[in-house]
Amino acid sequence: MDTAERYRRFAEREARGHSPSYEELAGAIARDDRLTALIDRLPEPRRQPNLLLGAARFLGGPTGDPAAFRPWLLDHWDEVRAVVLERRTQTNEPGRCAVLLPLLAALPQPLALIEVGASAGLCLYPDRYRYSYDGRTAFGPDGGPVTLDCRTAGPVPLPARPPAVAWRAGTDLNPLDVGDGGDVHWLECLVWPEQTHRLRRLRDAVRVARAEPPHLVRGDLNETVRDLVASAPAGATPVVFHSAVLAYLPPGAREAFAETMRTLPAHWISNESPGALPSVAGRLPRPAPADRVSFVLALDERPVAFTGPHGQSLEWLET
């Protein structure tokens, strides 16, 4: 799709109902030929609304005011472009642990967790967070600073407790450092305006990670995942997982990763857009909901649920 359509879809299908500021701003960009022409000068993978708007927020741009945003972006285009080219869309949403939890808790314990596309590694701590499903009493470590809320539908096999984690590691092309103020500020700028609950949750999750900084390896997932699985300690169940990662890879790299995962002695949990893994999409018992953006949660390429992109909902499939 062209840039105008990309921003229009973002406004109408993703931001609507979640961030009025981003809905209004992305819609205004879609209608502005000069701004879309500027964005078209960026490499195609760098034209994403989340990346551009996050870069503007990183630089202090008026993303809450479309009228002020247009002249600001024109005046500051070189700085915005530099951030867009340097940074990546690395939304490190710990809330996604709430949709991963039923699968993680059902595997043989303890686990050796390996996250690809780990960003700052905040999803490597499912055992340190508390969970509340459908408003029920939260469970998890006493005194944990992070409580993840999630709505459910269908026969979700909710666990009684978080999983036991013996080891955790991740890989990313550009791992972010929870001890680096600039990296943490970038993570905060990727949280949409008005979503103050997500911002508080992110900051609390950063505190958890800083207490035990994650082991993150810089590199391409196809080149690093084998070594990480081989490094898992004996007696722990290796689990490779990822959320909202494969859509950023070209189809050939996705298929190469899938082939790699089929040969590794590890369970594979994917939480991706419906078309990111054809082997998963082809086994869906019904299409993804058309009225909202949903991911497909799968274990070893077997789809089990539709999930909200930020872990806010979990709709279990009848299989």
Side-chain angles (χ1 to χ4, degrees), residues 294-316:
S294 295
F295 290 171
V296 177
L297 179 69
L299 174 64
D300 299 327
E301 298 182 275
R302 178 177 62 87
V304 298
F306 294 123
T307 69
H310 299 138
Q312 69 270 41
S313 61
L314 178 59
E315 181 182 350
W316 210 257

Side-chain angles (χ1 to χ4, degrees), residues 7-310:
Y7 278 73
R8 186 178 302 110
R9 286 195 184 190
F10 176 83
E12 296 174 355
R13 296 197 60 201
E14 298 187 47
R16 180 167 295 169
H18 300 286
S19 175
S21 295
Y22 268 14
E23 180 186 356
E24 185 178 9
L25 191 59
I29 292 172
R31 296 186 296 271
D32 193 309
D33 291 344
R34 187 174 179 189
L35 293 187
T36 56
L38 266 184
I39 296 168
D40 279 337
R41 297 178 190 173
L42 297 168
E44 198 282 333
R46 302 289 180 160
R47 299 172 193 168
Q48 311 151 31
N50 275 328
L51 182 57
L52 180 81
L53 298 177
R57 295 183 70 200
F58 190 74
L59 295 168
T63 51
D65 183 350
F69 181 78
R70 185 182 192 275
W72 181 91
L73 184 61
L74 293 173
D75 288 343
H76 295 82
W77 178 250
D78 288 344
E79 300 100 299
V80 172
R81 180 179 182 276
V83 174
V84 166
L85 294 178
E86 177 190 2
R87 296 282 181 174
R88 297 174 181 272
T89 305
Q90 294 176 282
T91 305
N92 203 179
E93 177 49 72
R96 292 171 178 155
C97 287
V99 301
L100 302 175
L101 189 73
L103 293 182
L104 293 174
L107 295 172
Q109 309 287 304
L111 307 178
L113 295 180
I114 299 139
E115 184 179 15
V116 296
S119 186
L122 301 184
C123 288
L124 283 166
Y125 300 87
D127 54 326
R128 305 296 172 81
Y129 302 150
R130 294 174 58 78
Y131 301 86
S132 174
Y133 293 92
D134 302 311
R136 298 186 185 95
T137 300
F139 64 89
D142 292 339
V146 178
T147 298
L148 306 179
D149 298 297
C150 182
R151 303 185 309 275
T152 71
V156 182
L158 293 176
R161 62 187 62 83
V165 178
W167 186 80
R168 63 192 97 221
T171 181
D172 198 285
L173 284 173
N174 180 42
L176 301 182
D177 181 359
V178 291
D180 181 276
D183 283 353
V184 172
H185 180 49
W186 176 243
L187 288 176
E188 292 178 352
C189 290
L190 292 174
V191 176
W192 297 355
E194 296 94 26
Q195 295 190 337
T196 55
H197 65 292
R198 289 184 60 212
L199 184 60
R200 289 194 301 269
R201 187 166 64 196
L202 173 75
R203 290 171 173 167
D204 288 340
V206 166
R207 290 169 48 204
V208 170
R210 281 176 172 168
E212 183 191 338
H215 173 57
L216 300 178
V217 176
R218 183 182 300 272
D220 180 85
L221 54 85
N222 276 316
E223 299 171 359
T224 53
V225 69
R226 286 187 183 277
D227 289 341
L228 286 176
V229 171
S231 299
T237 301
V239 183
V240 176
F241 71 98
H242 49 88
S243 292
V245 171
L246 298 189
Y248 297 105
L249 301 181
R254 293 182 212 171
E255 186 52 39
F257 178 69
E259 289 293 337
T260 296
M261 287 307 307
R262 291 170 191 140
T263 66
L264 289 179
H267 286 288
W268 176 19
I269 296 176
S270 59
N271 186 42
E272 299 285 348
S273 58
L277 281 170
S279 59
V280 171
R283 299 172 69 179
L284 280 170
R286 57 183 171 87
D291 61 339
R292 62 185 184 275
V293 176
S294 295
F295 290 171
V296 177
L297 179 69
L299 174 64
D300 299 327
E301 298 182 275
R302 178 177 62 87
V304 298
F306 294 123
T307 69
H310 299 138

